[in-house]
Amino acid sequence: MKKSLIIFFALTLILISCTSTDRSDDSPILATVQNSSLTLNEALRQIPASVLEQDTASAVRSYTEQWVNERVMIKEAERIGLSNSPEIREKLNRLRGQLLQESLKDYVLNEHKDEIEVTRQEAQNYYQAHKEKFTLEERYVRFRHLTTRTRTEADNAKRDLMRGIPWEEVANTYSVNSEFQLRKSNQFWPISMSVSDNSLLNQYLNVIGITEISPIQYFGGQYHFVQLLEERPEGDHPDLEWLIPQIVEWLKLEKARRITNGYVRNLYLESEANNEINQAGATEINRFITNLSN
């Protein structure tokens, strides 16, 4: 427990030390703890876009509460002298080094961003050259998931779908998050990830037939049902259109890896040429370890 607290405070303190305090920000202040203030703009910068999309007001309230709790803990840590602990200082130095390394990598990749871009043709060529490697490791499904605030809305939505009312119209009328659920219904998902936070709905997707709608379930204060649209069996070859975005990301990561590795290698050779590196060899390290065990 003590070790976890030390790591938490070390991470928090270094993040605070790396945060600009003189940045101009005249947006409303959400909270203040002693001399630290959280503004609306700062909260919006820190909260992931996917969370903001679902419920902006709730996300801001939650982040504000989290921020206040963190500042209260930091204030207490400083009061009892944890910030002066040698162990904390050591961890701060290590984390500072890690942040600098990551920042340098980001800088290098930004300088070579044109080289990292991947065209659709590159992705297609990669797929054709490695097609046998692309097989589904589990069943994939495309489905509709509707969430409503009341049972009556869920009943009405289910009835409208069964009557042939377009899915977009039903979702826009009844869903608590129509944009997200409409977008999700256009993609195929691994069955294990389809409704990962609701095991019963996930089970329904395993047993219902194509176009069939599951029973309505109450979960998390809301009402849910799913409708299976399409499925692809385990071992099948996925459509190229599914894979293009993933292949593009894989190739970008590979290009980025090659660029950063090459940059680091050049830094090493330059430092070595300047006699800035003195590194123990394998034999010497083995001797050190042998002496230590004795």
Side-chain angles (χ1 to χ4, degrees):
M1 179 66 176
K2 179 181 177 183
K3 183 177 180 181
S4 298
L5 283 173
I6 289 174
I7 293 174
F8 167 79
F9 287 126
L11 284 167
T12 307
L13 286 169
I14 197 170
L15 288 173
I16 290 175
S17 68
C18 294
T19 301
S20 172
T21 57
D22 57 358
R23 179 167 50 197
S24 176
D25 185 351
D26 57 359
S27 63
I29 294 176
L30 300 175
T32 301
V33 176
Q34 284 191 330
N35 298 324
S36 299
S37 296
L38 173 68
T39 66
L40 177 59
N41 283 347
E42 182 64 23
L44 294 176
R45 278 193 293 268
Q46 298 299 328
I47 302 170
S50 58
V51 176
L52 287 173
E53 286 178 4
Q54 296 184 32
D55 189 336
T56 303
S58 176
V60 171
R61 288 195 302 269
S62 177
Y63 182 82
T64 302
E65 182 178 349
Q66 173 188 331
W67 182 90
V68 169
N69 288 335
E70 288 176 355
R71 291 311 179 280
V72 168
M73 292 179 71
I74 293 167
K75 179 170 69 73
E76 178 63 12
E78 291 175 338
R79 187 190 70 79
I80 63 179
L82 284 179
S83 59
N84 298 320
S85 162
E87 189 174 359
I88 287 288
R89 291 297 176 188
E90 181 183 348
K91 291 182 182 297
L92 284 173
N93 287 332
R94 189 181 310 126
L95 290 169
R96 179 177 179 275
Q98 292 173 2
L99 286 173
L100 286 173
Q101 290 179 59
E102 291 304 316
S103 297
L104 179 60
K105 288 180 181 179
D106 291 340
Y107 170 81
V108 171
L109 293 178
N110 187 58
E111 290 292 301
H112 295 80
K113 57 185 177 183
D114 292 339
E115 300 173 39
I116 298 174
E117 289 305 311
V118 175
T119 65
R120 181 182 178 88
Q121 187 61 50
E122 284 182 88
Q124 289 176 332
N125 292 343
Y126 184 88
Y127 173 77
Q128 294 300 330
H130 303 87
K131 189 173 182 180
E132 70 284 353
K133 297 181 180 179
F134 293 98
T135 57
L136 300 181
E137 296 181 354
E138 61 178 305
R139 177 173 170 250
Y140 272 61
V141 294
R142 189 169 72 86
F143 64 99
R144 296 166 177 167
H145 175 197
L146 193 82
T147 304
T148 67
R149 293 182 177 83
T150 68
R151 175 64 191 237
T152 299
E153 289 176 329
D155 286 331
N156 291 340
K158 187 173 180 179
R159 184 195 64 236
D160 285 354
L161 282 176
M162 295 174 69
R163 290 171 49 210
I165 303 297
W167 161 239
E168 291 76 10
E169 182 178 336
V170 173
N172 286 325
T173 302
Y174 300 106
S175 174
V176 298
N177 192 348
S178 59
E179 183 178 347
F180 172 73
Q181 295 193 320
L182 282 169
R183 187 168 63 247
K184 187 173 181 179
S185 68
N186 291 325
Q187 302 173 10
F188 276 84
W189 298 84
I191 189 63
S192 61
M193 295 174 56
S194 55
V195 198
S196 56
D197 60 341
N198 190 318
S199 59
L200 186 54
L201 285 180
N202 194 276
Q203 290 176 26
Y204 285 142
L205 284 174
N206 273 289
V207 297
I208 61 178
I210 302 297
T211 74
E212 189 177 352
I213 301 176
S214 74
I216 294 170
Q217 185 197 10
Y218 182 75
F219 173 79
Q222 297 172 326
Y223 294 85
H224 308 255
F225 66 78
V226 290
Q227 181 183 29
L228 182 63
L229 300 176
E230 296 182 68
E231 61 181 351
R232 298 291 295 271
E234 178 183 355
D236 198 5
H237 289 281
D239 293 335
L240 178 59
E241 291 304 317
W242 298 11
L243 294 173
I244 286 294
Q246 295 182 41
I247 294 175
V248 167
E249 290 306 312
W250 292 336
L251 293 179
K252 281 184 177 180
L253 288 173
E254 180 60 22
K255 287 184 178 184
R257 186 188 65 80
R258 287 200 299 267
I259 289 172
T260 53
N261 285 353
Y263 185 86
V264 171
R265 179 61 180 168
N266 288 336
L267 289 177
Y268 177 89
L269 293 174
E270 182 180 342
S271 295
E272 188 177 48
N274 294 332
N275 296 317
E276 297 172 348
I277 299 175
N278 184 11
Q279 184 174 347
T283 302
E284 194 173 8
I285 291 174
N286 289 337
R287 179 166 55 82
F288 291 158
I289 294 174
T290 300
N291 293 339
L292 183 64
S293 61
N294 292 335

